[in-house]
Amino acid sequence: MAKYRKLGRTSSQRKALLRGQVTSLIYNGKIITTEARAKEVRKIAEGLIALAVKEKDNFETVTVDAKVAKKDAAGKRVKEVVDGKKVTVYETVQKEIKKDQPSRLHARRQMLKVLYPVTEVPEAAAGRKANTKKVDLTQKLFDEYAPKYAGRNGGYTRIVKIGQRKGDAAMEVLLELV
């Protein structure tokens, strides 16, 4: 018996397809795809969520001093003239950050091997680069999905059959996080 479905593609195309669909599933919470693809995506996604559940509390909180640019009421950086040059004024602020333990860092890197980077574009500024922001899907896995699924022993996804696709009569399904 085979370990995985080939999905009629070369290995590089198949890996890219599965990575894209897993990324989309974690970002959106559900995707519509064929039954064979959904079963393959489910394996990968459930592994990532299980990894996040296992490592969700494996960090320590550390207080650090950070230099932050001082800003005026309009949100622009405050500058002062020193030796004839405009220099930004910085102030020191204490911040609390989460520092991953080695096993959680390893888990994060394993997730990043599978997930593609996602950039969120606001509706109002569609087509412009301004106001876009990168979404950290590993953080979403650790902060949202891990506490949600902490009490479950697997079975984080559900496949619901929709019907046959018009073009090739392939069974379409809705793959969603429970």
Side-chain angles (χ1 to χ4, degrees), residues 46-65:
E46 292 212 3
L48 292 180
I49 294 170
L51 197 58
V53 168
K54 183 180 169 196
E55 298 291 338
K56 72 179 172 63
D57 295 326
N58 203 0
F59 64 90
E60 58 184 333
T61 308
V62 180
T63 306
V64 294
D65 293 332

Side-chain angles (χ1 to χ4, degrees), residues 12-104:
S12 59
Q13 290 173 344
R14 182 174 54 251
K15 287 173 190 170
L17 170 88
L18 294 174
R19 282 182 69 190
Q21 289 201 332
V22 168
T23 302
S24 185
L25 175 65
I26 299 233
Y27 181 63
N28 298 314
K30 60 184 173 183
I31 57 171
I32 295 176
T33 184
T34 63
E35 190 173 11
R37 288 179 189 171
K39 288 179 179 178
E40 288 300 307
V41 170
R42 164 188 248 176
K43 287 180 193 174
I44 300 167
E46 292 212 3
L48 292 180
I49 294 170
L51 197 58
V53 168
K54 183 180 169 196
E55 298 291 338
K56 72 179 172 63
D57 295 326
N58 203 0
F59 64 90
E60 58 184 333
T61 308
V62 180
T63 306
V64 294
D65 293 332
K67 279 188 167 182
V68 180
K70 205 176 208 178
K71 296 188 178 179
D72 60 3
K76 294 190 176 184
R77 292 180 173 193
V78 176
K79 299 195 180 223
E80 64 181 27
V81 178
V82 177
D83 297 331
K85 295 181 181 177
K86 283 189 175 179
V87 179
T88 305
V89 179
Y90 290 96
E91 57 189 5
T92 305
V93 180
Q94 286 198 341
K95 289 186 177 181
E96 285 197 1
I97 59 167
K98 289 181 180 178
K99 184 178 175 191
D100 289 347
Q101 296 292 333
S103 61
R104 181 171 162 140

Side-chain angles (χ1 to χ4, degrees), residues 15-16 18-20 22-23 44 48 51 105-117 138 141:
K15 287 173 190 170
L18 294 174
R19 282 182 69 190
V22 168
T23 302
I44 300 167
L48 292 180
L51 197 58
L105 177 63
H106 179 66
R108 183 182 301 275
R109 288 184 175 157
Q110 293 297 314
M111 291 173 190
L112 287 171
K113 276 190 350 188
V114 176
L115 300 171
Y116 281 124
T138 57
L141 278 165

